[in-house]
Amino acid sequence: MTQPLRTADIHMIQRLIPHRYPFLLVDRVREIDGYQTAVGVKNVTMNEPHFQGHFPAKPIMPGVTIIEAMAQTAAVMVGTALDMQDQNMMVYFMAIESCKFRRMVIPGDVLEMRMKTERGKPGAKVWKFSGIATVDDELACEASFTAMMDLGGATAG
């Protein structure tokens, strides 16, 4: 029997990861399937501070913030699966690989991040994820990355 998919609203996200405005880049995570897969959602608005300078006449979400939103989705997935709420979980990039940007992301878009764990298990500190970010089912970004997850004293795996 399979477990039901879990979700994380903004309140749960803030209990799982330390990011806050202006660097909290995921609004909701849905379809969390253990620590294997998850779908995150970022509602892109003109009110975000990076649009003041990137670019004033043509606001475009910076690619690094798209990758960060993908990483935050992965962190929420793992934190939810391992019941890490209120544990001060920290996540650090170690590598970003195979990253390609395919479409501009602009205010008004709904960015959907589909993340998959490639390597990692409960107790591991180093995890590898791959994923895509889309807008209206159109590919905006694809990337793989490795992250060190400080899971509140978990042992290395």
Side-chain angles (χ1 to χ4, degrees):
M1 179 176 187
T2 60
Q3 294 280 0
L5 298 177
R6 295 176 71 181
T7 63
D9 64 10
I10 193 65
H11 303 290
M12 180 57 74
I13 291 168
Q14 290 181 322
R15 292 178 63 196
L16 290 164
I17 61 175
H19 304 79
R20 298 294 181 266
Y21 178 85
F23 216 66
L24 180 55
L25 299 172
V26 61
D27 296 318
R28 180 170 42 102
V29 181
R30 57 182 171 86
E31 299 179 25
I32 301 170
D33 186 7
Y35 58 87
Q36 297 303 313
T37 63
V39 179
V41 176
K42 165 68 177 147
N43 297 301
V44 182
T45 73
M46 188 60 190
N47 294 327
E48 296 171 51
H50 49 258
F51 289 131
Q52 292 177 22
H54 196 269
F55 299 96
K58 185 173 181 166
I60 300 169
M61 186 173 182
V64 294
T65 57
I66 296 170
I67 297 169
E68 177 65 25
M70 294 168 74
Q72 289 180 19
T73 298
V76 170
M77 170 182 63
V78 172
T80 300
L82 301 180
D83 292 321
M84 294 299 299
Q85 56 271 25
D86 305 319
Q87 299 296 313
N88 300 317
M89 181 176 69
M90 299 293 290
V91 181
Y92 307 99
F93 272 126
M94 295 175 70
I96 300 171
E97 303 142 353
S98 306
C99 182
K100 294 183 179 168
F101 299 101
R102 306 290 188 182
R103 175 200 195 279
M104 289 184 280
V105 178
I106 60 173
D109 285 344
V110 176
L111 188 65
E112 184 176 272
M113 290 84 54
R114 295 189 169 275
M115 302 307 303
K116 177 181 178 185
T117 300
E118 298 293 339
R119 185 179 69 237
K121 60 184 179 180
K125 282 196 176 192
V126 177
W127 294 65
K128 185 169 185 174
F129 304 97
S130 64
I132 62 170
T134 60
V135 174
D136 295 328
D137 295 322
E138 185 179 347
L139 186 61
C141 178
E142 55 189 319
S144 296
F145 54 88
T146 305
M148 180 172 44
M149 315 260 297
D150 182 352
L151 304 174
T155 57

